[in-house]
Amino acid sequence: MNNKTYAGIEEQFSKLDSSKIVLIPVPYDGTSTWQKGSDKGPEAFLNASENMELYDIETETEVYKQGVYLADAITENSSPEKMVDEVHQTTKKFIKRNKFVTTFGGEHSISIGTIRAFNECFDDLTVLQIDAHADLRKEYHGSTCNHACAVYEASQTTNLIQVGIRSMDVMETTVMDKEKTYFAHEMAEDDAWMDSAIDQMTDNVYITFDLDAFDPSIMPSTGTPEPGGLLWYETIEFLRQVFEEKNVVGFDIVELCPNSKEKSSDFLAAKLYYKMLTYKFLNEDADDDFDNTINKSKGNTNKVSKFNDNEDDN
C-alpha cells in the first residue's frame, strides 16, 4: 500500500512510540464465496480517509491527535490458517505495547485472529459482532478459518453478542445463543435492543463490525449485501453508548468490497472507523497517558434476558 500515514495526518501524529492507536490493514480475501474484492477494502478505506475532514462536528474533537500508527499490512495468504495466525501474533504484539489496536479487512475470517489475541489478553471478554450474517459454522469448505466461521471460536470462548443478524444456515441455530442474538426483524420492532444488548455485555468489549450489517441502501459495496440492515444514525448512537458504558479494548471493520463506480461505501467505512476512535477517546486529552492494561476487568458475564417481558405500566 502506498499510504504513508493514516488519513494523511502529519508524521508527528503517526509515530509508533507516541501513538495511542494502531491500525493494521489485512487485505485478505482467500475464502469468500460470492463477490470477490474485499482484499481491496483496506486500500479503498485508506484512500477515502485521506479525503475526510478530521474535525468531528458531533463531539467537537480531532481524535487523530491521539496518534494513529499505520502498521505494515499483513499480506500472508498462503492459507487461511497461516493468515489467522499472523493476524493473531501481530495483534497481540501491539496489545502488549499498550496500544489501542484496530484492524481493517479484508474478509471476516481475519477477525478469528484478532479476537483470539484480545481474548488471551483481557479477562471476561465480550465480543460484540455487528453483522448481517451469523458466521457460526464450525468449519466451511474444509477450513475452520473461513469467513463463515468468523465468530464460532468466539461463541465457545467469549461472551458473544450478535447484533443485526438477518441471514444464517439452519445448522447455526444449534450453536447460536438466541438470548444474546438481536435479529434485524426484532430490532425493527423493539427499540429497547440497544440497552438490552449492552446490559448483557461484560466490562471488556471487543467489537467486530462487518459492513454488511448496514442496509445496502447506504452500504452497497460489500461481498454479500442483505436487505433490512442498520442505518447510520442508529448505528453510531448504539456505538457511542457502548463506548461510554464499557471498556472497548479494540475493534475491527471488515468486508468492504470496493466498486470503482461507487465511492460512498468507501467513505462510510472511513467515517465509521473515525467515529469509533472518536468515541473511544472522547474524554481523553491527547497528552493523557493511555492505559489499555491487559486483564483489566470489572465484572463477569451478565445473564440478563434479551428483552424485558414486563410491560411498562406508566
PDB file of all heavy atoms in Angstrom, residues 164-199:
ATOM      1  N   GLY A 164     -27.917  -7.419  14.579  1.00  0.00           N
ATOM      2  CA  GLY A 164     -28.218  -7.133  13.176  1.00  0.00           C
ATOM      3  C   GLY A 164     -28.381  -8.355  12.304  1.00  0.00           C
ATOM      4  O   GLY A 164     -28.511  -8.234  11.071  1.00  0.00           O
ATOM      5  N   ILE A 165     -28.399  -9.542  12.882  1.00  0.00           N
ATOM      6  CA  ILE A 165     -28.387 -10.794  12.115  1.00  0.00           C
ATOM      7  C   ILE A 165     -29.690 -10.942  11.330  1.00  0.00           C
ATOM      8  O   ILE A 165     -30.784 -10.784  11.862  1.00  0.00           O
ATOM      9  CB  ILE A 165     -28.197 -12.011  13.052  1.00  0.00           C
ATOM     10  CG1 ILE A 165     -26.956 -11.824  13.931  1.00  0.00           C
ATOM     11  CG2 ILE A 165     -28.112 -13.298  12.234  1.00  0.00           C
ATOM     12  CD1 ILE A 165     -25.662 -11.645  13.198  1.00  0.00           C
ATOM     13  N   ARG A 166     -29.546 -11.274  10.050  1.00  0.00           N
ATOM     14  CA  ARG A 166     -30.716 -11.492   9.200  1.00  0.00           C
ATOM     15  C   ARG A 166     -30.467 -12.526   8.109  1.00  0.00           C
ATOM     16  O   ARG A 166     -31.253 -12.656   7.158  1.00  0.00           O
ATOM     17  CB  ARG A 166     -31.193 -10.165   8.597  1.00  0.00           C
ATOM     18  CG  ARG A 166     -30.127  -9.379   7.849  1.00  0.00           C
ATOM     19  CD  ARG A 166     -30.606  -7.949   7.608  1.00  0.00           C
ATOM     20  NE  ARG A 166     -29.739  -7.192   6.716  1.00  0.00           N
ATOM     21  CZ  ARG A 166     -28.638  -6.557   7.102  1.00  0.00           C
ATOM     22  NH1 ARG A 166     -28.274  -6.606   8.388  1.00  0.00           N
ATOM     23  NH2 ARG A 166     -27.916  -5.886   6.237  1.00  0.00           N
ATOM     24  N   SER A 167     -29.367 -13.303   8.243  1.00  0.00           N
ATOM     25  CA  SER A 167     -29.094 -14.367   7.292  1.00  0.00           C
ATOM     26  C   SER A 167     -28.232 -15.420   7.971  1.00  0.00           C
ATOM     27  O   SER A 167     -27.210 -15.090   8.581  1.00  0.00           O
ATOM     28  CB  SER A 167     -28.360 -13.812   6.054  1.00  0.00           C
ATOM     29  OG  SER A 167     -28.078 -14.845   5.135  1.00  0.00           O
ATOM     30  N   MET A 168     -28.645 -16.718   7.867  1.00  0.00           N
ATOM     31  CA  MET A 168     -27.882 -17.782   8.503  1.00  0.00           C
ATOM     32  C   MET A 168     -28.330 -19.132   7.960  1.00  0.00           C
ATOM     33  O   MET A 168     -29.390 -19.271   7.367  1.00  0.00           O
ATOM     34  CB  MET A 168     -28.059 -17.743  10.025  1.00  0.00           C
ATOM     35  CG  MET A 168     -29.484 -17.902  10.497  1.00  0.00           C
ATOM     36  SD  MET A 168     -29.685 -17.639  12.277  1.00  0.00           S
ATOM     37  CE  MET A 168     -28.766 -19.024  12.951  1.00  0.00           C
ATOM     38  N   ASP A 169     -27.497 -20.129   8.184  1.00  0.00           N
ATOM     39  CA  ASP A 169     -27.809 -21.506   7.839  1.00  0.00           C
ATOM     40  C   ASP A 169     -28.507 -22.165   9.030  1.00  0.00           C
ATOM     41  O   ASP A 169     -28.238 -21.820  10.184  1.00  0.00           O
ATOM     42  CB  ASP A 169     -26.517 -22.257   7.503  1.00  0.00           C
ATOM     43  CG  ASP A 169     -26.787 -23.653   6.991  1.00  0.00           C
ATOM     44  OD1 ASP A 169     -27.054 -23.818   5.790  1.00  0.00           O
ATOM     45  OD2 ASP A 169     -26.731 -24.590   7.817  1.00  0.00           O
ATOM     46  N   VAL A 170     -29.363 -23.134   8.753  1.00  0.00           N
ATOM     47  CA  VAL A 170     -30.126 -23.767   9.812  1.00  0.00           C
ATOM     48  C   VAL A 170     -29.237 -24.431  10.853  1.00  0.00           C
ATOM     49  O   VAL A 170     -29.564 -24.445  12.050  1.00  0.00           O
ATOM     50  CB  VAL A 170     -31.152 -24.781   9.237  1.00  0.00           C
ATOM     51  CG1 VAL A 170     -30.438 -25.956   8.566  1.00  0.00           C
ATOM     52  CG2 VAL A 170     -32.106 -25.258  10.318  1.00  0.00           C
ATOM     53  N   MET A 171     -28.074 -24.972  10.441  1.00  0.00           N
ATOM     54  CA  MET A 171     -27.203 -25.628  11.411  1.00  0.00           C
ATOM     55  C   MET A 171     -26.639 -24.656  12.441  1.00  0.00           C
ATOM     56  O   MET A 171     -26.298 -25.041  13.550  1.00  0.00           O
ATOM     57  CB  MET A 171     -26.057 -26.374  10.716  1.00  0.00           C
ATOM     58  CG  MET A 171     -25.070 -25.534   9.913  1.00  0.00           C
ATOM     59  SD  MET A 171     -23.806 -24.629  10.873  1.00  0.00           S
ATOM     60  CE  MET A 171     -23.063 -25.970  11.749  1.00  0.00           C
ATOM     61  N   GLU A 172     -26.594 -23.385  12.086  1.00  0.00           N
ATOM     62  CA  GLU A 172     -26.063 -22.395  13.025  1.00  0.00           C
ATOM     63  C   GLU A 172     -26.997 -22.171  14.212  1.00  0.00           C
ATOM     64  O   GLU A 172     -26.575 -21.656  15.254  1.00  0.00           O
ATOM     65  CB  GLU A 172     -25.775 -21.084  12.299  1.00  0.00           C
ATOM     66  CG  GLU A 172     -24.622 -21.202  11.311  1.00  0.00           C
ATOM     67  CD  GLU A 172     -24.421 -19.953  10.475  1.00  0.00           C
ATOM     68  OE1 GLU A 172     -25.202 -19.748   9.513  1.00  0.00           O
ATOM     69  OE2 GLU A 172     -23.497 -19.184  10.775  1.00  0.00           O
ATOM     70  N   THR A 173     -28.260 -22.565  14.069  1.00  0.00           N
ATOM     71  CA  THR A 173     -29.190 -22.453  15.190  1.00  0.00           C
ATOM     72  C   THR A 173     -28.790 -23.372  16.337  1.00  0.00           C
ATOM     73  O   THR A 173     -29.175 -23.139  17.489  1.00  0.00           O
ATOM     74  CB  THR A 173     -30.631 -22.794  14.761  1.00  0.00           C
ATOM     75  OG1 THR A 173     -30.684 -24.160  14.313  1.00  0.00           O
ATOM     76  CG2 THR A 173     -31.094 -21.877  13.645  1.00  0.00           C
ATOM     77  N   THR A 174     -28.016 -24.416  16.049  1.00  0.00           N
ATOM     78  CA  THR A 174     -27.578 -25.340  17.105  1.00  0.00           C
ATOM     79  C   THR A 174     -26.424 -24.769  17.916  1.00  0.00           C
ATOM     80  O   THR A 174     -26.104 -25.277  18.989  1.00  0.00           O
ATOM     81  CB  THR A 174     -27.155 -26.688  16.503  1.00  0.00           C
ATOM     82  OG1 THR A 174     -25.996 -26.509  15.668  1.00  0.00           O
ATOM     83  CG2 THR A 174     -28.281 -27.290  15.670  1.00  0.00           C
ATOM     84  N   VAL A 175     -25.785 -23.733  17.405  1.00  0.00           N
ATOM     85  CA  VAL A 175     -24.656 -23.086  18.076  1.00  0.00           C
ATOM     86  C   VAL A 175     -25.065 -21.760  18.706  1.00  0.00           C
ATOM     87  O   VAL A 175     -24.599 -21.392  19.778  1.00  0.00           O
ATOM     88  CB  VAL A 175     -23.499 -22.863  17.075  1.00  0.00           C
ATOM     89  CG1 VAL A 175     -22.323 -22.151  17.736  1.00  0.00           C
ATOM     90  CG2 VAL A 175     -23.049 -24.181  16.459  1.00  0.00           C
ATOM     91  N   MET A 176     -25.950 -21.073  18.046  1.00  0.00           N
ATOM     92  CA  MET A 176     -26.331 -19.718  18.444  1.00  0.00           C
ATOM     93  C   MET A 176     -27.017 -19.674  19.802  1.00  0.00           C
ATOM     94  O   MET A 176     -27.845 -20.523  20.135  1.00  0.00           O
ATOM     95  CB  MET A 176     -27.253 -19.135  17.375  1.00  0.00           C
ATOM     96  CG  MET A 176     -27.846 -17.784  17.692  1.00  0.00           C
ATOM     97  SD  MET A 176     -28.880 -17.189  16.335  1.00  0.00           S
ATOM     98  CE  MET A 176     -27.622 -16.616  15.183  1.00  0.00           C
ATOM     99  N   ASP A 177     -26.675 -18.659  20.594  1.00  0.00           N
ATOM    100  CA  ASP A 177     -27.390 -18.341  21.828  1.00  0.00           C
ATOM    101  C   ASP A 177     -28.407 -17.250  21.486  1.00  0.00           C
ATOM    102  O   ASP A 177     -28.060 -16.075  21.384  1.00  0.00           O
ATOM    103  CB  ASP A 177     -26.416 -17.855  22.902  1.00  0.00           C
ATOM    104  CG  ASP A 177     -27.083 -17.594  24.243  1.00  0.00           C
ATOM    105  OD1 ASP A 177     -28.330 -17.514  24.284  1.00  0.00           O
ATOM    106  OD2 ASP A 177     -26.360 -17.469  25.254  1.00  0.00           O
ATOM    107  N   LYS A 178     -29.641 -17.642  21.298  1.00  0.00           N
ATOM    108  CA  LYS A 178     -30.652 -16.699  20.826  1.00  0.00           C
ATOM    109  C   LYS A 178     -30.961 -15.613  21.846  1.00  0.00           C
ATOM    110  O   LYS A 178     -31.463 -14.550  21.489  1.00  0.00           O
ATOM    111  CB  LYS A 178     -31.924 -17.452  20.427  1.00  0.00           C
ATOM    112  CG  LYS A 178     -31.734 -18.289  19.166  1.00  0.00           C
ATOM    113  CD  LYS A 178     -33.037 -18.926  18.704  1.00  0.00           C
ATOM    114  CE  LYS A 178     -32.808 -19.732  17.436  1.00  0.00           C
ATOM    115  NZ  LYS A 178     -34.068 -20.390  16.967  1.00  0.00           N
ATOM    116  N   GLU A 179     -30.667 -15.875  23.120  1.00  0.00           N
ATOM    117  CA  GLU A 179     -30.864 -14.840  24.138  1.00  0.00           C
ATOM    118  C   GLU A 179     -29.861 -13.701  23.989  1.00  0.00           C
ATOM    119  O   GLU A 179     -30.060 -12.607  24.523  1.00  0.00           O
ATOM    120  CB  GLU A 179     -30.763 -15.451  25.537  1.00  0.00           C
ATOM    121  CG  GLU A 179     -31.998 -16.199  25.984  1.00  0.00           C
ATOM    122  CD  GLU A 179     -33.215 -15.292  26.073  1.00  0.00           C
ATOM    123  OE1 GLU A 179     -33.154 -14.268  26.786  1.00  0.00           O
ATOM    124  OE2 GLU A 179     -34.225 -15.592  25.415  1.00  0.00           O
ATOM    125  N   LYS A 180     -28.781 -13.957  23.265  1.00  0.00           N
ATOM    126  CA  LYS A 180     -27.762 -12.930  23.054  1.00  0.00           C
ATOM    127  C   LYS A 180     -27.636 -12.559  21.576  1.00  0.00           C
ATOM    128  O   LYS A 180     -26.611 -12.024  21.145  1.00  0.00           O
ATOM    129  CB  LYS A 180     -26.412 -13.412  23.602  1.00  0.00           C
ATOM    130  CG  LYS A 180     -26.427 -13.605  25.112  1.00  0.00           C
ATOM    131  CD  LYS A 180     -25.077 -14.083  25.621  1.00  0.00           C
ATOM    132  CE  LYS A 180     -25.124 -14.261  27.147  1.00  0.00           C
ATOM    133  NZ  LYS A 180     -23.845 -14.751  27.678  1.00  0.00           N
ATOM    134  N   THR A 181     -28.691 -12.858  20.811  1.00  0.00           N
ATOM    135  CA  THR A 181     -28.717 -12.546  19.392  1.00  0.00           C
ATOM    136  C   THR A 181     -29.852 -11.578  19.111  1.00  0.00           C
ATOM    137  O   THR A 181     -31.009 -11.839  19.468  1.00  0.00           O
ATOM    138  CB  THR A 181     -28.907 -13.821  18.552  1.00  0.00           C
ATOM    139  OG1 THR A 181     -27.886 -14.759  18.876  1.00  0.00           O
ATOM    140  CG2 THR A 181     -28.840 -13.506  17.067  1.00  0.00           C
ATOM    141  N   TYR A 182     -29.530 -10.468  18.476  1.00  0.00           N
ATOM    142  CA  TYR A 182     -30.507  -9.428  18.160  1.00  0.00           C
ATOM    143  C   TYR A 182     -30.738  -9.448  16.654  1.00  0.00           C
ATOM    144  O   TYR A 182     -29.959  -8.904  15.879  1.00  0.00           O
ATOM    145  CB  TYR A 182     -30.008  -8.072  18.676  1.00  0.00           C
ATOM    146  CG  TYR A 182     -29.933  -8.081  20.182  1.00  0.00           C
ATOM    147  CD1 TYR A 182     -28.840  -8.644  20.835  1.00  0.00           C
ATOM    148  CD2 TYR A 182     -30.995  -7.632  20.954  1.00  0.00           C
ATOM    149  CE1 TYR A 182     -28.791  -8.722  22.219  1.00  0.00           C
ATOM    150  CE2 TYR A 182     -30.958  -7.700  22.343  1.00  0.00           C
ATOM    151  CZ  TYR A 182     -29.854  -8.249  22.967  1.00  0.00           C
ATOM    152  OH  TYR A 182     -29.813  -8.336  24.345  1.00  0.00           O
ATOM    153  N   PHE A 183     -31.823 -10.137  16.277  1.00  0.00           N
ATOM    154  CA  PHE A 183     -32.156 -10.276  14.866  1.00  0.00           C
ATOM    155  C   PHE A 183     -32.701  -8.953  14.333  1.00  0.00           C
ATOM    156  O   PHE A 183     -33.400  -8.216  15.037  1.00  0.00           O
ATOM    157  CB  PHE A 183     -33.189 -11.380  14.675  1.00  0.00           C
ATOM    158  CG  PHE A 183     -32.686 -12.758  15.015  1.00  0.00           C
ATOM    159  CD1 PHE A 183     -33.054 -13.380  16.198  1.00  0.00           C
ATOM    160  CD2 PHE A 183     -31.836 -13.431  14.147  1.00  0.00           C
ATOM    161  CE1 PHE A 183     -32.595 -14.649  16.511  1.00  0.00           C
ATOM    162  CE2 PHE A 183     -31.369 -14.702  14.453  1.00  0.00           C
ATOM    163  CZ  PHE A 183     -31.742 -15.315  15.637  1.00  0.00           C
ATOM    164  N   ALA A 184     -32.399  -8.676  13.071  1.00  0.00           N
ATOM    165  CA  ALA A 184     -32.785  -7.398  12.476  1.00  0.00           C
ATOM    166  C   ALA A 184     -34.292  -7.169  12.529  1.00  0.00           C
ATOM    167  O   ALA A 184     -34.749  -6.051  12.790  1.00  0.00           O
ATOM    168  CB  ALA A 184     -32.287  -7.328  11.037  1.00  0.00           C
ATOM    169  N   HIS A 185     -35.086  -8.222  12.295  1.00  0.00           N
ATOM    170  CA  HIS A 185     -36.537  -8.027  12.282  1.00  0.00           C
ATOM    171  C   HIS A 185     -37.064  -7.716  13.682  1.00  0.00           C
ATOM    172  O   HIS A 185     -38.044  -6.979  13.827  1.00  0.00           O
ATOM    173  CB  HIS A 185     -37.244  -9.260  11.699  1.00  0.00           C
ATOM    174  CG  HIS A 185     -37.195 -10.480  12.567  1.00  0.00           C
ATOM    175  ND1 HIS A 185     -36.096 -11.327  12.589  1.00  0.00           N
ATOM    176  CD2 HIS A 185     -38.097 -10.996  13.451  1.00  0.00           C
ATOM    177  CE1 HIS A 185     -36.344 -12.318  13.445  1.00  0.00           C
ATOM    178  NE2 HIS A 185     -37.542 -12.138  13.972  1.00  0.00           N
ATOM    179  N   GLU A 186     -36.397  -8.228  14.720  1.00  0.00           N
ATOM    180  CA  GLU A 186     -36.785  -7.893  16.087  1.00  0.00           C
ATOM    181  C   GLU A 186     -36.383  -6.464  16.424  1.00  0.00           C
ATOM    182  O   GLU A 186     -37.137  -5.725  17.085  1.00  0.00           O
ATOM    183  CB  GLU A 186     -36.130  -8.855  17.073  1.00  0.00           C
ATOM    184  CG  GLU A 186     -36.587 -10.293  16.967  1.00  0.00           C
ATOM    185  CD  GLU A 186     -35.834 -11.214  17.921  1.00  0.00           C
ATOM    186  OE1 GLU A 186     -34.674 -10.913  18.256  1.00  0.00           O
ATOM    187  OE2 GLU A 186     -36.424 -12.219  18.318  1.00  0.00           O
ATOM    188  N   MET A 187     -35.195  -6.069  15.997  1.00  0.00           N
ATOM    189  CA  MET A 187     -34.700  -4.725  16.274  1.00  0.00           C
ATOM    190  C   MET A 187     -35.598  -3.666  15.648  1.00  0.00           C
ATOM    191  O   MET A 187     -35.786  -2.576  16.199  1.00  0.00           O
ATOM    192  CB  MET A 187     -33.266  -4.585  15.760  1.00  0.00           C
ATOM    193  CG  MET A 187     -32.273  -5.453  16.519  1.00  0.00           C
ATOM    194  SD  MET A 187     -30.712  -5.723  15.619  1.00  0.00           S
ATOM    195  CE  MET A 187     -30.145  -4.061  15.341  1.00  0.00           C
ATOM    196  N   ALA A 188     -36.185  -3.996  14.488  1.00  0.00           N
ATOM    197  CA  ALA A 188     -37.061  -3.046  13.807  1.00  0.00           C
ATOM    198  C   ALA A 188     -38.351  -2.817  14.576  1.00  0.00           C
ATOM    199  O   ALA A 188     -39.003  -1.771  14.421  1.00  0.00           O
ATOM    200  CB  ALA A 188     -37.375  -3.554  12.398  1.00  0.00           C
ATOM    201  N   GLU A 189     -38.714  -3.781  15.413  1.00  0.00           N
ATOM    202  CA  GLU A 189     -39.988  -3.706  16.137  1.00  0.00           C
ATOM    203  C   GLU A 189     -39.830  -3.297  17.598  1.00  0.00           C
ATOM    204  O   GLU A 189     -40.807  -2.931  18.243  1.00  0.00           O
ATOM    205  CB  GLU A 189     -40.691  -5.069  16.075  1.00  0.00           C
ATOM    206  CG  GLU A 189     -41.067  -5.497  14.656  1.00  0.00           C
ATOM    207  CD  GLU A 189     -41.611  -6.913  14.601  1.00  0.00           C
ATOM    208  OE1 GLU A 189     -41.586  -7.601  15.657  1.00  0.00           O
ATOM    209  OE2 GLU A 189     -42.041  -7.339  13.521  1.00  0.00           O
ATOM    210  N   ASP A 190     -38.629  -3.388  18.139  1.00  0.00           N
ATOM    211  CA  ASP A 190     -38.413  -3.123  19.564  1.00  0.00           C
ATOM    212  C   ASP A 190     -37.163  -2.274  19.730  1.00  0.00           C
ATOM    213  O   ASP A 190     -36.037  -2.758  19.614  1.00  0.00           O
ATOM    214  CB  ASP A 190     -38.259  -4.440  20.324  1.00  0.00           C
ATOM    215  CG  ASP A 190     -38.294  -4.240  21.839  1.00  0.00           C
ATOM    216  OD1 ASP A 190     -37.953  -3.139  22.303  1.00  0.00           O
ATOM    217  OD2 ASP A 190     -38.641  -5.198  22.548  1.00  0.00           O
ATOM    218  N   ASP A 191     -37.353  -0.983  20.012  1.00  0.00           N
ATOM    219  CA  ASP A 191     -36.209  -0.074  20.105  1.00  0.00           C
ATOM    220  C   ASP A 191     -35.467  -0.193  21.425  1.00  0.00           C
ATOM    221  O   ASP A 191     -34.533   0.566  21.696  1.00  0.00           O
ATOM    222  CB  ASP A 191     -36.623   1.371  19.844  1.00  0.00           C
ATOM    223  CG  ASP A 191     -37.672   1.889  20.837  1.00  0.00           C
ATOM    224  OD1 ASP A 191     -37.954   1.166  21.822  1.00  0.00           O
ATOM    225  OD2 ASP A 191     -38.192   3.002  20.630  1.00  0.00           O
ATOM    226  N   ALA A 192     -35.830  -1.173  22.255  1.00  0.00           N
ATOM    227  CA  ALA A 192     -35.105  -1.410  23.507  1.00  0.00           C
ATOM    228  C   ALA A 192     -33.867  -2.261  23.293  1.00  0.00           C
ATOM    229  O   ALA A 192     -33.142  -2.547  24.252  1.00  0.00           O
ATOM    230  CB  ALA A 192     -36.030  -2.087  24.523  1.00  0.00           C
ATOM    231  N   TRP A 193     -33.588  -2.642  22.061  1.00  0.00           N
ATOM    232  CA  TRP A 193     -32.487  -3.579  21.809  1.00  0.00           C
ATOM    233  C   TRP A 193     -31.125  -3.008  22.209  1.00  0.00           C
ATOM    234  O   TRP A 193     -30.244  -3.767  22.632  1.00  0.00           O
ATOM    235  CB  TRP A 193     -32.471  -4.009  20.345  1.00  0.00           C
ATOM    236  CG  TRP A 193     -32.132  -2.935  19.346  1.00  0.00           C
ATOM    237  CD1 TRP A 193     -32.993  -2.125  18.669  1.00  0.00           C
ATOM    238  CD2 TRP A 193     -30.818  -2.576  18.884  1.00  0.00           C
ATOM    239  NE1 TRP A 193     -32.318  -1.270  17.830  1.00  0.00           N
ATOM    240  CE2 TRP A 193     -30.977  -1.538  17.936  1.00  0.00           C
ATOM    241  CE3 TRP A 193     -29.532  -3.028  19.167  1.00  0.00           C
ATOM    242  CZ2 TRP A 193     -29.902  -0.940  17.288  1.00  0.00           C
ATOM    243  CZ3 TRP A 193     -28.459  -2.442  18.513  1.00  0.00           C
ATOM    244  CH2 TRP A 193     -28.641  -1.412  17.588  1.00  0.00           C
ATOM    245  N   MET A 194     -30.927  -1.723  22.100  1.00  0.00           N
ATOM    246  CA  MET A 194     -29.615  -1.154  22.422  1.00  0.00           C
ATOM    247  C   MET A 194     -29.279  -1.358  23.894  1.00  0.00           C
ATOM    248  O   MET A 194     -28.217  -1.879  24.242  1.00  0.00           O
ATOM    249  CB  MET A 194     -29.569   0.334  22.085  1.00  0.00           C
ATOM    250  CG  MET A 194     -29.669   0.632  20.603  1.00  0.00           C
ATOM    251  SD  MET A 194     -29.363   2.392  20.273  1.00  0.00           S
ATOM    252  CE  MET A 194     -29.922   2.499  18.576  1.00  0.00           C
ATOM    253  N   ASP A 195     -30.191  -0.934  24.771  1.00  0.00           N
ATOM    254  CA  ASP A 195     -29.956  -1.099  26.208  1.00  0.00           C
ATOM    255  C   ASP A 195     -29.859  -2.571  26.585  1.00  0.00           C
ATOM    256  O   ASP A 195     -29.040  -2.955  27.425  1.00  0.00           O
ATOM    257  CB  ASP A 195     -31.077  -0.438  27.007  1.00  0.00           C
ATOM    258  CG  ASP A 195     -31.043   1.085  26.931  1.00  0.00           C
ATOM    259  OD1 ASP A 195     -29.954   1.639  26.681  1.00  0.00           O
ATOM    260  OD2 ASP A 195     -32.100   1.705  27.111  1.00  0.00           O
ATOM    261  N   SER A 196     -30.699  -3.378  25.977  1.00  0.00           N
ATOM    262  CA  SER A 196     -30.693  -4.811  26.277  1.00  0.00           C
ATOM    263  C   SER A 196     -29.361  -5.443  25.932  1.00  0.00           C
ATOM    264  O   SER A 196     -28.788  -6.197  26.723  1.00  0.00           O
ATOM    265  CB  SER A 196     -31.821  -5.508  25.515  1.00  0.00           C
ATOM    266  OG  SER A 196     -31.758  -6.903  25.674  1.00  0.00           O
ATOM    267  N   ALA A 197     -28.848  -5.145  24.741  1.00  0.00           N
ATOM    268  CA  ALA A 197     -27.572  -5.722  24.315  1.00  0.00           C
ATOM    269  C   ALA A 197     -26.438  -5.287  25.240  1.00  0.00           C
ATOM    270  O   ALA A 197     -25.588  -6.100  25.631  1.00  0.00           O
ATOM    271  CB  ALA A 197     -27.273  -5.317  22.873  1.00  0.00           C
ATOM    272  N   ILE A 198     -26.421  -4.015  25.610  1.00  0.00           N
ATOM    273  CA  ILE A 198     -25.359  -3.506  26.482  1.00  0.00           C
ATOM    274  C   ILE A 198     -25.449  -4.134  27.866  1.00  0.00           C
ATOM    275  O   ILE A 198     -24.427  -4.447  28.489  1.00  0.00           O
ATOM    276  CB  ILE A 198     -25.415  -1.973  26.540  1.00  0.00           C
ATOM    277  CG1 ILE A 198     -25.034  -1.382  25.171  1.00  0.00           C
ATOM    278  CG2 ILE A 198     -24.484  -1.431  27.622  1.00  0.00           C
ATOM    279  CD1 ILE A 198     -25.266   0.101  25.035  1.00  0.00           C
ATOM    280  N   ASP A 199     -26.672  -4.348  28.344  1.00  0.00           N
ATOM    281  CA  ASP A 199     -26.843  -4.982  29.648  1.00  0.00           C
ATOM    282  C   ASP A 199     -26.246  -6.388  29.691  1.00  0.00           C
ATOM    283  O   ASP A 199     -25.868  -6.872  30.765  1.00  0.00           O
ATOM    284  CB  ASP A 199     -28.332  -5.062  30.011  1.00  0.00           C
ATOM    285  CG  ASP A 199     -28.904  -3.724  30.442  1.00  0.00           C
ATOM    286  OD1 ASP A 199     -28.110  -2.803  30.743  1.00  0.00           O
ATOM    287  OD2 ASP A 199     -30.142  -3.587  30.456  1.00  0.00           O
TER     288      ASP A 199
END
